[in-house]
Amino acid sequence: RVSASGAKGKTGTRAFMAIGALLGEQHSFIHDLESFFWVLFWICIHCNGPSEGKVVAQFDKWNYADTGELAKLKLGTVSDEDIFRKTTEESFTEYYRPLVPWVKTLRKVVFPGGGRWKTEDSGLFDQMRGILEKARKDPSVSAAE
């Protein structure tokens, strides 16, 4: 879909919402792509394989924070490469640890320069898809299957 759905207000699971959506921006496909990033990030932290989940207090509060605070928490998570690296290395479960370098690469395209997209980029989907296809072919990732 190219245009917004027309839904009034903010909809969706808070922990997966794009930063711009949390700040009340008009919905864009860029927000959907960022939401995908947050879903992947969440899975890598909260799941240790297909059927073993866990609660991580640091990120569980994302479900309850008000939208402005959550936008700041998320931006703080991705804004600095070293902080993001440390977060992924310390928080990703053993099962998803092989995805750390690929999620770090995704972060660079989803949050260019450590910030959020302010204008639409029709090439973002292809960039993300390319990174994910390379990850799928990575022997360390496929060995975890």
Side-chain angles (χ1 to χ4, degrees):
R1 179 172 63 214
V2 175
S3 61
S5 68
K8 302 294 181 200
K10 297 173 185 145
T11 60
T13 303
R14 299 169 74 82
F16 307 144
M17 291 177 74
I19 295 167
L22 291 167
L23 296 173
E25 292 176 0
Q26 178 69 34
H27 182 268
S28 163
F29 73 92
I30 295 288
H31 295 131
D32 293 336
L33 295 173
E34 182 185 330
S35 290
F36 172 83
F37 172 87
W38 290 118
V39 169
L40 178 61
F41 180 79
W42 188 271
I43 289 169
C44 291
I45 289 171
H46 290 88
C47 301
N48 197 24
S51 59
E52 185 184 332
K54 66 178 187 167
V55 174
V56 180
Q58 175 186 357
F59 298 103
D60 192 51
K61 66 183 169 187
W62 287 13
N63 290 307
Y64 310 104
D66 71 51
T67 55
E69 179 184 356
L70 181 53
K72 291 174 188 173
L73 287 169
K74 287 183 162 192
L75 192 55
T77 300
V78 295
S79 64
D80 182 84
E81 188 170 353
D82 291 332
I83 291 172
F84 188 74
R85 177 193 49 76
K86 184 175 182 187
T87 300
T88 58
E89 290 173 358
E90 292 177 354
S91 302
F92 277 29
T93 63
E94 191 64 36
Y95 186 83
Y96 288 106
R97 194 145 298 132
L99 288 177
V100 166
W102 299 106
V103 174
K104 286 174 19 184
T105 302
L106 274 176
R107 174 205 154 269
K108 289 179 183 177
V109 299
V110 176
F111 302 98
R116 60 191 182 86
W117 283 97
K118 305 251 173 133
T119 59
E120 292 185 354
D121 178 352
S122 60
L124 181 58
F125 172 77
D126 290 332
Q127 289 178 41
M128 291 176 70
R129 183 176 174 186
I131 292 165
L132 294 169
E133 292 206 8
K134 288 178 186 172
R136 189 175 57 87
K137 294 174 183 173
D138 180 344
S140 68
V141 171
S142 58
E145 291 179 3

